[in-house]
Amino acid sequence: MAAKSVIFRHYERALAQWPVDALRPQISFQNVMRGRIEKQLGPASDKKTSYDPSKESKDTLVTPLKPYDEKAEMEQVNALYSLLENRYAKQVRRNLLNVTMLAEFFKYPLSERTMKPLSKPTYYEDFIKELEEAPKRSWLERYIHSWKGFIRWQ
């Protein structure tokens, strides 16, 4: 039981640090994960309840819970922390300094032609700029911007 509370605290700490999606703040990774954690680790998961199909409607999808496995949960927490800390990207950056390992990490490197297509060389820069500006727009600006895609001025 003590292990469950430790794992629960690890999850809560990691989810408190998780960034909010600026493009879709109404869809929260934190809320989805908290629901899963409370089902698996919360007090309701300690009670042994059996599934009664007569209590559920035909449209409800019920996923049975797996039995609690402390090792698997700790691996999940470790994966969450590694994503949060961006461990793998840091490791690749560190290893890129070693030129002999460059070929190992990039078997198929992106060429300049890929990153700057001839048809529109600024495509990726414009895309990133659009992703940064989109959450800051008002509803009217979003509406006008959506109509700009339908109307061609040429």
Side-chain angles (χ1 to χ4, degrees):
M1 187 65 178
K4 280 188 179 186
S5 65
V6 170
I7 292 173
F8 189 80
R9 281 184 296 196
H10 277 297
Y11 272 123
E12 284 298 319
R13 189 175 336 140
L15 291 175
Q17 297 173 16
W18 197 268
V20 177
D21 187 358
L23 289 177
R24 296 168 295 196
Q26 69 277 9
I27 302 172
S28 173
F29 174 74
Q30 293 92 329
N31 291 343
V32 172
M33 282 301 293
R34 281 191 181 102
R36 177 210 169 268
I37 294 163
E38 288 173 3
K39 269 187 188 175
Q40 187 72 25
L41 302 175
S45 65
D46 292 338
K47 299 175 187 171
K48 293 185 178 181
T49 58
S50 59
Y51 171 66
D52 185 8
S54 63
K55 293 181 182 177
E56 298 291 333
S57 70
K58 300 273 187 211
D59 299 333
T60 305
L61 177 65
V62 176
T63 306
L65 290 176
K66 295 178 183 175
Y68 175 72
D69 181 11
E70 183 178 346
K71 183 181 177 203
E73 287 298 326
M74 283 306 289
E75 289 172 357
Q76 294 289 321
V77 169
N78 188 25
L80 191 61
Y81 275 124
S82 66
L83 288 173
L84 186 63
E85 296 166 0
N86 208 8
R87 279 184 209 159
Y88 306 107
K90 289 177 185 174
Q91 182 181 8
V92 168
R93 274 189 232 116
R94 232 181 291 124
N95 290 333
L96 285 179
L97 297 176
N98 185 354
V99 178
T100 59
M101 296 183 79
L102 188 63
E104 181 183 331
F105 283 106
F106 293 104
K107 280 187 176 179
Y108 307 103
L110 294 175
S111 67
E112 187 68 21
R113 286 180 45 199
T114 304
M115 295 308 293
K116 296 189 184 286
L118 293 177
S119 60
K120 189 174 181 186
T122 61
Y123 175 78
Y124 290 107
E125 288 90 14
D126 295 344
F127 183 67
I128 300 237
K129 182 179 163 191
E130 178 70 24
L131 286 176
E132 290 171 352
E133 290 175 358
K136 299 172 187 164
R137 290 191 187 119
S138 69
W139 69 271
L140 182 61
E141 289 172 324
R142 284 194 304 264
Y143 185 75
I144 291 170
H145 195 75
S146 69
W147 275 98
K148 283 182 183 178
F150 295 118
I151 301 171
R152 303 235 178 209
W153 300 104
Q154 295 176 355

